Amino acid sequence: MPVKNQQEHKTENQMGDLTKNFNKSEFDCNDGSEMPEDVFDNVQIQAYNLQTIRDFFNAPVTINSAYRSPSYNKSVGGAKNSQHLTGNATDITIKGYTPDQVADIIEGLIRIDAIEEGGLGRYNTFTHYDRRGNKARWDNRTK
Protein backbone atom coordinates (compact mmCIF):
# COMPACT_ATOMS: atom_id res chain seq x y z
CA MET A 1 0.00 0.00 0.00
CA PRO A 2 1.49 3.39 -0.94
CA VAL A 3 2.39 5.83 1.80
CA LYS A 4 0.18 8.92 1.87
CA ASN A 5 1.88 12.23 1.55
CA GLN A 6 1.51 14.72 4.39
CA GLN A 7 -1.05 16.90 2.58
CA GLU A 8 -3.31 13.92 1.79
CA HIS A 9 -3.09 12.82 5.41
CA LYS A 10 -3.82 16.33 6.69
CA THR A 11 -6.87 16.68 4.43
CA GLU A 12 -8.16 13.30 5.58
CA ASN A 13 -7.67 14.27 9.24
CA GLN A 14 -9.45 17.60 8.74
CA MET A 15 -12.55 15.60 8.00
CA GLY A 16 -12.19 13.08 10.81
CA ASP A 17 -10.21 11.75 13.67
CA LEU A 18 -7.35 13.66 15.25
CA THR A 19 -6.58 10.99 17.87
CA LYS A 20 -8.22 7.72 18.89
CA ASN A 21 -10.86 9.64 20.91
CA PHE A 22 -11.03 13.14 19.42
CA ASN A 23 -12.56 14.30 16.17
CA LYS A 24 -11.98 17.63 14.43
CA SER A 25 -15.65 18.57 14.77
CA GLU A 26 -15.22 18.72 18.58
CA PHE A 27 -12.75 21.58 18.09
CA ASP A 28 -14.79 23.60 15.57
CA CYS A 29 -16.01 27.05 16.52
CA ASN A 30 -19.47 27.04 18.07
CA ASP A 31 -20.61 29.63 15.50
CA GLY A 32 -19.90 27.29 12.58
CA SER A 33 -17.18 29.46 11.04
CA GLU A 34 -14.37 27.84 9.05
CA MET A 35 -11.21 26.89 10.96
CA PRO A 36 -8.06 28.43 9.35
CA GLU A 37 -5.30 26.03 8.28
CA ASP A 38 -2.77 27.36 10.80
CA VAL A 39 -5.34 26.95 13.57
CA PHE A 40 -5.96 23.35 12.50
CA ASP A 41 -2.26 22.58 12.97
CA ASN A 42 -2.49 23.86 16.57
CA VAL A 43 -5.73 21.93 17.17
CA GLN A 44 -3.98 18.69 16.19
CA ILE A 45 -1.33 19.28 18.85
CA GLN A 46 -3.97 20.25 21.43
CA ALA A 47 -5.84 17.02 20.65
CA TYR A 48 -2.72 14.97 21.45
CA ASN A 49 -2.43 16.70 24.82
CA LEU A 50 -6.14 16.10 25.53
CA GLN A 51 -5.72 12.45 24.56
CA THR A 52 -3.06 12.14 27.28
CA ILE A 53 -5.49 13.71 29.76
CA ARG A 54 -8.29 11.37 28.66
CA ASP A 55 -6.02 8.33 28.92
CA PHE A 56 -4.98 9.31 32.44
CA PHE A 57 -8.59 9.71 33.63
CA ASN A 58 -9.77 6.73 31.58
CA ALA A 59 -12.95 8.74 31.04
CA PRO A 60 -14.40 10.77 28.18
CA VAL A 61 -13.40 14.42 27.94
CA THR A 62 -16.14 16.80 26.78
CA ILE A 63 -14.92 19.89 24.93
CA ASN A 64 -17.20 22.85 25.61
CA SER A 65 -15.13 25.35 23.65
CA ALA A 66 -12.00 25.03 21.51
CA TYR A 67 -11.26 27.15 18.43
CA ARG A 68 -13.10 30.48 18.41
CA SER A 69 -13.36 32.85 15.49
CA PRO A 70 -12.57 36.46 16.41
CA SER A 71 -16.24 37.46 16.17
CA TYR A 72 -17.43 34.53 18.28
CA ASN A 73 -14.69 35.13 20.87
CA LYS A 74 -15.83 38.75 21.16
CA SER A 75 -19.50 37.72 21.48
CA VAL A 76 -18.74 35.42 24.44
CA GLY A 77 -16.56 38.01 26.19
CA GLY A 78 -13.29 36.16 25.52
CA ALA A 79 -9.92 37.77 26.14
CA LYS A 80 -8.63 39.87 23.23
CA ASN A 81 -5.54 37.65 22.95
CA SER A 82 -7.34 34.40 23.85
CA GLN A 83 -5.55 31.14 23.11
CA HIS A 84 -8.87 29.91 21.71
CA LEU A 85 -8.27 32.19 18.69
CA THR A 86 -5.19 30.17 17.73
CA GLY A 87 -6.60 26.71 18.48
CA ASN A 88 -4.29 26.29 21.47
CA ALA A 89 -7.04 26.22 24.13
CA THR A 90 -9.93 24.06 25.24
CA ASP A 91 -12.54 24.36 27.96
CA ILE A 92 -13.32 20.84 29.16
CA THR A 93 -15.31 18.72 31.59
CA ILE A 94 -14.80 15.10 32.59
CA LYS A 95 -17.79 13.13 33.83
CA GLY A 96 -17.39 12.05 37.43
CA TYR A 97 -14.80 14.72 38.26
CA THR A 98 -15.17 18.29 39.46
CA PRO A 99 -13.45 21.04 37.48
CA ASP A 100 -11.10 21.49 40.46
CA GLN A 101 -10.12 17.80 40.39
CA VAL A 102 -9.52 18.04 36.64
CA ALA A 103 -7.31 21.12 37.10
CA ASP A 104 -5.30 19.39 39.85
CA ILE A 105 -4.63 16.37 37.62
CA ILE A 106 -3.71 18.55 34.63
CA GLU A 107 -1.28 20.42 36.90
CA GLY A 108 0.33 17.10 37.79
CA LEU A 109 0.53 15.99 34.13
CA ILE A 110 2.25 19.28 33.28
CA ARG A 111 4.64 18.84 36.21
CA ILE A 112 5.80 15.43 34.93
CA ASP A 113 6.01 16.73 31.32
CA ALA A 114 3.24 14.40 30.11
CA ILE A 115 1.49 17.41 28.51
CA GLU A 116 2.67 20.86 27.52
CA GLU A 117 2.97 23.78 29.93
CA GLY A 118 0.52 26.59 29.50
CA GLY A 119 -2.57 28.19 30.94
CA LEU A 120 -4.77 26.44 33.48
CA GLY A 121 -7.97 28.16 34.53
CA ARG A 122 -10.41 27.03 37.20
CA TYR A 123 -14.10 27.80 36.65
CA ASN A 124 -17.25 26.60 38.41
CA THR A 125 -18.41 24.37 35.58
CA PHE A 126 -15.30 23.62 33.49
CA THR A 127 -11.51 23.65 33.36
CA HIS A 128 -9.54 25.69 30.81
CA TYR A 129 -6.27 24.23 29.48
CA ASP A 130 -4.06 25.86 26.86
CA ARG A 131 -0.57 25.46 25.41
CA ARG A 132 0.67 29.05 25.49
CA GLY A 133 4.22 27.89 26.25
CA ASN A 134 4.53 29.60 29.62
CA LYS A 135 2.88 28.98 32.96
CA ALA A 136 -0.31 30.94 33.63
CA ARG A 137 -2.82 30.10 36.37
CA TRP A 138 -6.11 31.73 37.35
CA ASP A 139 -9.17 30.98 39.43
CA ASN A 140 -12.47 32.35 38.14
CA ARG A 141 -14.70 30.28 40.41
CA THR A 142 -17.38 32.15 42.26
CA LYS A 143 -17.86 31.23 45.88
Side-chain angles (χ1 to χ4, degrees), residues 109-139:
L109 292 171
I110 291 170
R111 193 174 308 118
I112 64 169
D113 292 325
I115 60 175
E116 293 180 55
E117 178 65 84
L120 185 57
R122 296 171 188 259
Y123 294 82
N124 289 341
T125 59
F126 66 91
T127 305
H128 171 98
Y129 166 64
D130 70 53
R131 301 173 10 271
R132 68 184 63 203
N134 59 298
K135 184 176 183 175
R137 302 294 181 267
W138 62 93
D139 188 340

PDB file of all heavy atoms in Angstrom, residues 109-139:
ATOM      1  N   LEU A 109       0.062  16.463  35.442  1.00  0.00           N
ATOM      2  CA  LEU A 109       0.529  15.993  34.134  1.00  0.00           C
ATOM      3  C   LEU A 109       1.514  16.981  33.511  1.00  0.00           C
ATOM      4  O   LEU A 109       2.486  16.576  32.863  1.00  0.00           O
ATOM      5  CB  LEU A 109      -0.662  15.745  33.201  1.00  0.00           C
ATOM      6  CG  LEU A 109      -1.559  14.568  33.582  1.00  0.00           C
ATOM      7  CD1 LEU A 109      -2.816  14.547  32.722  1.00  0.00           C
ATOM      8  CD2 LEU A 109      -0.811  13.239  33.481  1.00  0.00           C
ATOM      9  N   ILE A 110       1.286  18.270  33.737  1.00  0.00           N
ATOM     10  CA  ILE A 110       2.247  19.280  33.276  1.00  0.00           C
ATOM     11  C   ILE A 110       3.558  19.124  34.044  1.00  0.00           C
ATOM     12  O   ILE A 110       4.647  19.140  33.456  1.00  0.00           O
ATOM     13  CB  ILE A 110       1.679  20.709  33.452  1.00  0.00           C
ATOM     14  CG1 ILE A 110       0.529  20.956  32.480  1.00  0.00           C
ATOM     15  CG2 ILE A 110       2.778  21.762  33.270  1.00  0.00           C
ATOM     16  CD1 ILE A 110      -0.265  22.235  32.735  1.00  0.00           C
ATOM     17  N   ARG A 111       3.465  18.942  35.347  1.00  0.00           N
ATOM     18  CA  ARG A 111       4.643  18.841  36.209  1.00  0.00           C
ATOM     19  C   ARG A 111       5.559  17.685  35.785  1.00  0.00           C
ATOM     20  O   ARG A 111       6.777  17.799  35.864  1.00  0.00           O
ATOM     21  CB  ARG A 111       4.217  18.664  37.667  1.00  0.00           C
ATOM     22  CG  ARG A 111       5.340  18.869  38.667  1.00  0.00           C
ATOM     23  CD  ARG A 111       4.868  18.829  40.121  1.00  0.00           C
ATOM     24  NE  ARG A 111       3.754  19.727  40.365  1.00  0.00           N
ATOM     25  CZ  ARG A 111       2.522  19.339  40.766  1.00  0.00           C
ATOM     26  NH1 ARG A 111       2.257  18.069  40.985  1.00  0.00           N
ATOM     27  NH2 ARG A 111       1.577  20.227  40.954  1.00  0.00           N
ATOM     28  N   ILE A 112       4.975  16.579  35.332  1.00  0.00           N
ATOM     29  CA  ILE A 112       5.796  15.427  34.927  1.00  0.00           C
ATOM     30  C   ILE A 112       6.075  15.432  33.414  1.00  0.00           C
ATOM     31  O   ILE A 112       6.543  14.432  32.867  1.00  0.00           O
ATOM     32  CB  ILE A 112       5.160  14.088  35.362  1.00  0.00           C
ATOM     33  CG1 ILE A 112       3.815  13.866  34.664  1.00  0.00           C
ATOM     34  CG2 ILE A 112       5.053  14.012  36.883  1.00  0.00           C
ATOM     35  CD1 ILE A 112       3.246  12.460  34.842  1.00  0.00           C
ATOM     36  N   ASP A 113       5.774  16.553  32.756  1.00  0.00           N
ATOM     37  CA  ASP A 113       6.006  16.730  31.319  1.00  0.00           C
ATOM     38  C   ASP A 113       5.239  15.739  30.447  1.00  0.00           C
ATOM     39  O   ASP A 113       5.685  15.396  29.349  1.00  0.00           O
ATOM     40  CB  ASP A 113       7.503  16.662  30.984  1.00  0.00           C
ATOM     41  CG  ASP A 113       8.275  17.837  31.530  1.00  0.00           C
ATOM     42  OD1 ASP A 113       7.709  18.948  31.550  1.00  0.00           O
ATOM     43  OD2 ASP A 113       9.440  17.658  31.937  1.00  0.00           O
ATOM     44  N   ALA A 114       4.084  15.289  30.916  1.00  0.00           N
ATOM     45  CA  ALA A 114       3.243  14.404  30.108  1.00  0.00           C
ATOM     46  C   ALA A 114       2.448  15.216  29.084  1.00  0.00           C
ATOM     47  O   ALA A 114       2.092  14.701  28.018  1.00  0.00           O
ATOM     48  CB  ALA A 114       2.297  13.605  30.996  1.00  0.00           C
ATOM     49  N   ILE A 115       2.151  16.473  29.428  1.00  0.00           N
ATOM     50  CA  ILE A 115       1.491  17.405  28.507  1.00  0.00           C
ATOM     51  C   ILE A 115       2.225  18.742  28.582  1.00  0.00           C
ATOM     52  O   ILE A 115       2.991  18.990  29.518  1.00  0.00           O
ATOM     53  CB  ILE A 115      -0.018  17.588  28.815  1.00  0.00           C
ATOM     54  CG1 ILE A 115      -0.243  18.133  30.225  1.00  0.00           C
ATOM     55  CG2 ILE A 115      -0.764  16.277  28.595  1.00  0.00           C
ATOM     56  CD1 ILE A 115      -1.696  18.451  30.549  1.00  0.00           C
ATOM     57  N   GLU A 116       1.947  19.593  27.614  1.00  0.00           N
ATOM     58  CA  GLU A 116       2.666  20.864  27.516  1.00  0.00           C
ATOM     59  C   GLU A 116       2.243  21.865  28.582  1.00  0.00           C
ATOM     60  O   GLU A 116       1.090  21.918  28.980  1.00  0.00           O
ATOM     61  CB  GLU A 116       2.438  21.479  26.141  1.00  0.00           C
ATOM     62  CG  GLU A 116       3.067  20.675  25.016  1.00  0.00           C
ATOM     63  CD  GLU A 116       2.824  21.309  23.673  1.00  0.00           C
ATOM     64  OE1 GLU A 116       3.169  22.506  23.512  1.00  0.00           O
ATOM     65  OE2 GLU A 116       2.299  20.625  22.785  1.00  0.00           O
ATOM     66  N   GLU A 117       3.214  22.673  28.998  1.00  0.00           N
ATOM     67  CA  GLU A 117       2.971  23.781  29.929  1.00  0.00           C
ATOM     68  C   GLU A 117       2.112  24.824  29.252  1.00  0.00           C
ATOM     69  O   GLU A 117       2.140  24.977  28.037  1.00  0.00           O
ATOM     70  CB  GLU A 117       4.309  24.412  30.343  1.00  0.00           C
ATOM     71  CG  GLU A 117       4.206  25.599  31.275  1.00  0.00           C
ATOM     72  CD  GLU A 117       3.637  25.258  32.634  1.00  0.00           C
ATOM     73  OE1 GLU A 117       4.399  24.819  33.493  1.00  0.00           O
ATOM     74  OE2 GLU A 117       2.413  25.444  32.814  1.00  0.00           O
ATOM     75  N   GLY A 118       1.344  25.524  30.053  1.00  0.00           N
ATOM     76  CA  GLY A 118       0.518  26.589  29.502  1.00  0.00           C
ATOM     77  C   GLY A 118      -0.415  27.162  30.534  1.00  0.00           C
ATOM     78  O   GLY A 118      -0.112  27.199  31.727  1.00  0.00           O
ATOM     79  N   GLY A 119      -1.581  27.581  30.067  1.00  0.00           N
ATOM     80  CA  GLY A 119      -2.568  28.187  30.941  1.00  0.00           C
ATOM     81  C   GLY A 119      -3.507  27.147  31.512  1.00  0.00           C
ATOM     82  O   GLY A 119      -3.905  26.201  30.830  1.00  0.00           O
ATOM     83  N   LEU A 120      -3.845  27.340  32.786  1.00  0.00           N
ATOM     84  CA  LEU A 120      -4.772  26.443  33.476  1.00  0.00           C
ATOM     85  C   LEU A 120      -5.720  27.308  34.295  1.00  0.00           C
ATOM     86  O   LEU A 120      -5.311  27.980  35.233  1.00  0.00           O
ATOM     87  CB  LEU A 120      -4.001  25.479  34.373  1.00  0.00           C
ATOM     88  CG  LEU A 120      -4.785  24.390  35.088  1.00  0.00           C
ATOM     89  CD1 LEU A 120      -5.559  23.521  34.101  1.00  0.00           C
ATOM     90  CD2 LEU A 120      -3.835  23.530  35.910  1.00  0.00           C
ATOM     91  N   GLY A 121      -6.982  27.325  33.867  1.00  0.00           N
ATOM     92  CA  GLY A 121      -7.974  28.159  34.525  1.00  0.00           C
ATOM     93  C   GLY A 121      -9.040  27.325  35.207  1.00  0.00           C
ATOM     94  O   GLY A 121      -9.524  26.341  34.643  1.00  0.00           O
ATOM     95  N   ARG A 122      -9.385  27.718  36.412  1.00  0.00           N
ATOM     96  CA  ARG A 122     -10.413  27.033  37.197  1.00  0.00           C
ATOM     97  C   ARG A 122     -11.702  27.851  37.148  1.00  0.00           C
ATOM     98  O   ARG A 122     -11.698  29.040  37.474  1.00  0.00           O
ATOM     99  CB  ARG A 122      -9.944  26.856  38.637  1.00  0.00           C
ATOM    100  CG  ARG A 122      -8.724  25.951  38.754  1.00  0.00           C
ATOM    101  CD  ARG A 122      -8.133  25.968  40.164  1.00  0.00           C
ATOM    102  NE  ARG A 122      -6.877  25.263  40.216  1.00  0.00           N
ATOM    103  CZ  ARG A 122      -6.725  24.021  40.675  1.00  0.00           C
ATOM    104  NH1 ARG A 122      -7.766  23.366  41.150  1.00  0.00           N
ATOM    105  NH2 ARG A 122      -5.535  23.438  40.676  1.00  0.00           N
ATOM    106  N   TYR A 123     -12.772  27.191  36.731  1.00  0.00           N
ATOM    107  CA  TYR A 123     -14.097  27.802  36.649  1.00  0.00           C
ATOM    108  C   TYR A 123     -15.087  26.900  37.379  1.00  0.00           C
ATOM    109  O   TYR A 123     -14.780  25.740  37.663  1.00  0.00           O
ATOM    110  CB  TYR A 123     -14.524  27.981  35.179  1.00  0.00           C
ATOM    111  CG  TYR A 123     -13.657  28.968  34.428  1.00  0.00           C
ATOM    112  CD1 TYR A 123     -12.433  28.577  33.892  1.00  0.00           C
ATOM    113  CD2 TYR A 123     -14.051  30.288  34.265  1.00  0.00           C
ATOM    114  CE1 TYR A 123     -11.626  29.483  33.206  1.00  0.00           C
ATOM    115  CE2 TYR A 123     -13.257  31.202  33.576  1.00  0.00           C
ATOM    116  CZ  TYR A 123     -12.040  30.787  33.054  1.00  0.00           C
ATOM    117  OH  TYR A 123     -11.253  31.679  32.379  1.00  0.00           O
ATOM    118  N   ASN A 124     -16.252  27.403  37.680  1.00  0.00           N
ATOM    119  CA  ASN A 124     -17.250  26.601  38.413  1.00  0.00           C
ATOM    120  C   ASN A 124     -17.689  25.356  37.654  1.00  0.00           C
ATOM    121  O   ASN A 124     -17.933  24.313  38.258  1.00  0.00           O
ATOM    122  CB  ASN A 124     -18.497  27.434  38.732  1.00  0.00           C
ATOM    123  CG  ASN A 124     -18.234  28.470  39.798  1.00  0.00           C
ATOM    124  OD1 ASN A 124     -17.274  28.392  40.554  1.00  0.00           O
ATOM    125  ND2 ASN A 124     -19.090  29.477  39.853  1.00  0.00           N
ATOM    126  N   THR A 125     -17.817  25.470  36.346  1.00  0.00           N
ATOM    127  CA  THR A 125     -18.405  24.369  35.581  1.00  0.00           C
ATOM    128  C   THR A 125     -17.471  23.719  34.566  1.00  0.00           C
ATOM    129  O   THR A 125     -17.867  22.763  33.892  1.00  0.00           O
ATOM    130  CB  THR A 125     -19.672  24.853  34.836  1.00  0.00           C
ATOM    131  OG1 THR A 125     -19.305  25.930  33.958  1.00  0.00           O
ATOM    132  CG2 THR A 125     -20.739  25.330  35.822  1.00  0.00           C
ATOM    133  N   PHE A 126     -16.249  24.209  34.433  1.00  0.00           N
ATOM    134  CA  PHE A 126     -15.301  23.624  33.488  1.00  0.00           C
ATOM    135  C   PHE A 126     -13.875  23.990  33.878  1.00  0.00           C
ATOM    136  O   PHE A 126     -13.650  24.823  34.755  1.00  0.00           O
ATOM    137  CB  PHE A 126     -15.593  24.090  32.051  1.00  0.00           C
ATOM    138  CG  PHE A 126     -15.379  25.566  31.814  1.00  0.00           C
ATOM    139  CD1 PHE A 126     -14.158  26.056  31.390  1.00  0.00           C
ATOM    140  CD2 PHE A 126     -16.416  26.472  32.017  1.00  0.00           C
ATOM    141  CE1 PHE A 126     -13.967  27.420  31.178  1.00  0.00           C
ATOM    142  CE2 PHE A 126     -16.236  27.825  31.801  1.00  0.00           C
ATOM    143  CZ  PHE A 126     -15.009  28.299  31.379  1.00  0.00           C
ATOM    144  N   THR A 127     -12.925  23.365  33.187  1.00  0.00           N
ATOM    145  CA  THR A 127     -11.511  23.650  33.357  1.00  0.00           C
ATOM    146  C   THR A 127     -10.961  24.113  32.013  1.00  0.00           C
ATOM    147  O   THR A 127     -11.242  23.503  30.981  1.00  0.00           O
ATOM    148  CB  THR A 127     -10.746  22.384  33.808  1.00  0.00           C
ATOM    149  OG1 THR A 127     -11.363  21.867  34.981  1.00  0.00           O
ATOM    150  CG2 THR A 127      -9.282  22.688  34.074  1.00  0.00           C
ATOM    151  N   HIS A 128     -10.194  25.183  32.019  1.00  0.00           N
ATOM    152  CA  HIS A 128      -9.537  25.694  30.815  1.00  0.00           C
ATOM    153  C   HIS A 128      -8.104  25.185  30.807  1.00  0.00           C
ATOM    154  O   HIS A 128      -7.397  25.283  31.805  1.00  0.00           O
ATOM    155  CB  HIS A 128      -9.538  27.232  30.828  1.00  0.00           C
ATOM    156  CG  HIS A 128      -8.707  27.833  29.732  1.00  0.00           C
ATOM    157  ND1 HIS A 128      -9.251  28.287  28.554  1.00  0.00           N
ATOM    158  CD2 HIS A 128      -7.364  28.040  29.649  1.00  0.00           C
ATOM    159  CE1 HIS A 128      -8.269  28.754  27.784  1.00  0.00           C
ATOM    160  NE2 HIS A 128      -7.115  28.611  28.430  1.00  0.00           N
ATOM    161  N   TYR A 129      -7.675  24.636  29.655  1.00  0.00           N
ATOM    162  CA  TYR A 129      -6.274  24.234  29.478  1.00  0.00           C
ATOM    163  C   TYR A 129      -5.799  24.744  28.128  1.00  0.00           C
ATOM    164  O   TYR A 129      -6.469  24.559  27.116  1.00  0.00           O
ATOM    165  CB  TYR A 129      -6.119  22.705  29.541  1.00  0.00           C
ATOM    166  CG  TYR A 129      -4.773  22.232  29.043  1.00  0.00           C
ATOM    167  CD1 TYR A 129      -3.599  22.583  29.710  1.00  0.00           C
ATOM    168  CD2 TYR A 129      -4.666  21.466  27.895  1.00  0.00           C
ATOM    169  CE1 TYR A 129      -2.359  22.179  29.238  1.00  0.00           C
ATOM    170  CE2 TYR A 129      -3.435  21.052  27.414  1.00  0.00           C
ATOM    171  CZ  TYR A 129      -2.284  21.408  28.088  1.00  0.00           C
ATOM    172  OH  TYR A 129      -1.052  21.018  27.613  1.00  0.00           O
ATOM    173  N   ASP A 130      -4.640  25.418  28.123  1.00  0.00           N
ATOM    174  CA  ASP A 130      -4.056  25.865  26.860  1.00  0.00           C
ATOM    175  C   ASP A 130      -2.554  25.638  26.849  1.00  0.00           C
ATOM    176  O   ASP A 130      -1.943  25.391  27.886  1.00  0.00           O
ATOM    177  CB  ASP A 130      -4.419  27.323  26.564  1.00  0.00           C
ATOM    178  CG  ASP A 130      -3.743  28.334  27.468  1.00  0.00           C
ATOM    179  OD1 ASP A 130      -2.504  28.325  27.597  1.00  0.00           O
ATOM    180  OD2 ASP A 130      -4.464  29.166  28.059  1.00  0.00           O
ATOM    181  N   ARG A 131      -1.997  25.713  25.644  1.00  0.00           N
ATOM    182  CA  ARG A 131      -0.574  25.461  25.409  1.00  0.00           C
ATOM    183  C   ARG A 131       0.144  26.748  25.016  1.00  0.00           C
ATOM    184  O   ARG A 131       0.804  26.808  23.999  1.00  0.00           O
ATOM    185  CB  ARG A 131      -0.410  24.425  24.288  1.00  0.00           C
ATOM    186  CG  ARG A 131      -1.062  23.115  24.545  1.00  0.00           C
ATOM    187  CD  ARG A 131      -1.035  22.148  23.365  1.00  0.00           C
ATOM    188  NE  ARG A 131      -0.205  22.527  22.241  1.00  0.00           N
ATOM    189  CZ  ARG A 131      -0.595  23.266  21.205  1.00  0.00           C
ATOM    190  NH1 ARG A 131      -1.800  23.735  21.119  1.00  0.00           N
ATOM    191  NH2 ARG A 131       0.235  23.548  20.231  1.00  0.00           N
ATOM    192  N   ARG A 132       0.061  27.762  25.837  1.00  0.00           N
ATOM    193  CA  ARG A 132       0.667  29.053  25.494  1.00  0.00           C
ATOM    194  C   ARG A 132       2.182  29.041  25.600  1.00  0.00           C
ATOM    195  O   ARG A 132       2.842  29.987  25.192  1.00  0.00           O
ATOM    196  CB  ARG A 132       0.075  30.160  26.356  1.00  0.00           C
ATOM    197  CG  ARG A 132       0.444  30.084  27.817  1.00  0.00           C
ATOM    198  CD  ARG A 132      -0.222  31.136  28.660  1.00  0.00           C
ATOM    199  NE  ARG A 132      -1.661  30.949  28.619  1.00  0.00           N
ATOM    200  CZ  ARG A 132      -2.542  31.899  28.862  1.00  0.00           C
ATOM    201  NH1 ARG A 132      -2.150  33.102  29.203  1.00  0.00           N
ATOM    202  NH2 ARG A 132      -3.822  31.654  28.813  1.00  0.00           N
ATOM    203  N   GLY A 133       2.765  27.998  26.182  1.00  0.00           N
ATOM    204  CA  GLY A 133       4.219  27.894  26.254  1.00  0.00           C
ATOM    205  C   GLY A 133       4.829  28.415  27.541  1.00  0.00           C
ATOM    206  O   GLY A 133       5.992  28.162  27.827  1.00  0.00           O
ATOM    207  N   ASN A 134       4.058  29.140  28.315  1.00  0.00           N
ATOM    208  CA  ASN A 134       4.532  29.600  29.616  1.00  0.00           C
ATOM    209  C   ASN A 134       3.420  29.373  30.637  1.00  0.00           C
ATOM    210  O   ASN A 134       2.245  29.275  30.285  1.00  0.00           O
ATOM    211  CB  ASN A 134       4.946  31.082  29.576  1.00  0.00           C
ATOM    212  CG  ASN A 134       3.806  31.987  29.166  1.00  0.00           C
ATOM    213  OD1 ASN A 134       3.281  31.871  28.069  1.00  0.00           O
ATOM    214  ND2 ASN A 134       3.421  32.893  30.048  1.00  0.00           N
ATOM    215  N   LYS A 135       3.821  29.276  31.886  1.00  0.00           N
ATOM    216  CA  LYS A 135       2.881  28.981  32.956  1.00  0.00           C
ATOM    217  C   LYS A 135       1.983  30.176  33.251  1.00  0.00           C
ATOM    218  O   LYS A 135       2.454  31.283  33.460  1.00  0.00           O
ATOM    219  CB  LYS A 135       3.655  28.586  34.217  1.00  0.00           C
ATOM    220  CG  LYS A 135       2.777  28.161  35.357  1.00  0.00           C
ATOM    221  CD  LYS A 135       3.629  27.699  36.543  1.00  0.00           C
ATOM    222  CE  LYS A 135       2.759  27.210  37.671  1.00  0.00           C
ATOM    223  NZ  LYS A 135       3.574  26.645  38.765  1.00  0.00           N
ATOM    224  N   ALA A 136       0.681  29.922  33.252  1.00  0.00           N
ATOM    225  CA  ALA A 136      -0.310  30.937  33.630  1.00  0.00           C
ATOM    226  C   ALA A 136      -1.411  30.204  34.394  1.00  0.00           C
ATOM    227  O   ALA A 136      -1.889  29.160  33.945  1.00  0.00           O
ATOM    228  CB  ALA A 136      -0.879  31.626  32.401  1.00  0.00           C
ATOM    229  N   ARG A 137      -1.782  30.725  35.552  1.00  0.00           N
ATOM    230  CA  ARG A 137      -2.822  30.101  36.372  1.00  0.00           C
ATOM    231  C   ARG A 137      -3.806  31.166  36.831  1.00  0.00           C
ATOM    232  O   ARG A 137      -3.405  32.285  37.159  1.00  0.00           O
ATOM    233  CB  ARG A 137      -2.221  29.414  37.611  1.00  0.00           C
ATOM    234  CG  ARG A 137      -1.183  28.339  37.314  1.00  0.00           C
ATOM    235  CD  ARG A 137      -1.801  27.148  36.612  1.00  0.00           C
ATOM    236  NE  ARG A 137      -0.826  26.104  36.349  1.00  0.00           N
ATOM    237  CZ  ARG A 137      -0.132  25.972  35.227  1.00  0.00           C
ATOM    238  NH1 ARG A 137      -0.262  26.858  34.251  1.00  0.00           N
ATOM    239  NH2 ARG A 137       0.720  24.973  35.070  1.00  0.00           N
ATOM    240  N   TRP A 138      -5.097  30.815  36.840  1.00  0.00           N
ATOM    241  CA  TRP A 138      -6.108  31.735  37.352  1.00  0.00           C
ATOM    242  C   TRP A 138      -7.282  30.943  37.904  1.00  0.00           C
ATOM    243  O   TRP A 138      -7.493  29.788  37.557  1.00  0.00           O
ATOM    244  CB  TRP A 138      -6.548  32.737  36.292  1.00  0.00           C
ATOM    245  CG  TRP A 138      -7.192  32.146  35.088  1.00  0.00           C
ATOM    246  CD1 TRP A 138      -8.538  31.943  34.878  1.00  0.00           C
ATOM    247  CD2 TRP A 138      -6.546  31.646  33.919  1.00  0.00           C
ATOM    248  NE1 TRP A 138      -8.756  31.382  33.640  1.00  0.00           N
ATOM    249  CE2 TRP A 138      -7.543  31.184  33.038  1.00  0.00           C
ATOM    250  CE3 TRP A 138      -5.212  31.560  33.512  1.00  0.00           C
ATOM    251  CZ2 TRP A 138      -7.251  30.638  31.790  1.00  0.00           C
ATOM    252  CZ3 TRP A 138      -4.933  31.020  32.281  1.00  0.00           C
ATOM    253  CH2 TRP A 138      -5.941  30.571  31.438  1.00  0.00           C
ATOM    254  N   ASP A 139      -8.012  31.604  38.785  1.00  0.00           N
ATOM    255  CA  ASP A 139      -9.172  30.975  39.433  1.00  0.00           C
ATOM    256  C   ASP A 139     -10.369  31.913  39.265  1.00  0.00           C
ATOM    257  O   ASP A 139     -10.412  32.966  39.877  1.00  0.00           O
ATOM    258  CB  ASP A 139      -8.861  30.744  40.910  1.00  0.00           C
ATOM    259  CG  ASP A 139      -9.936  29.934  41.615  1.00  0.00           C
ATOM    260  OD1 ASP A 139     -11.070  29.857  41.109  1.00  0.00           O
ATOM    261  OD2 ASP A 139      -9.632  29.390  42.694  1.00  0.00           O
TER     262      ASP A 139
END
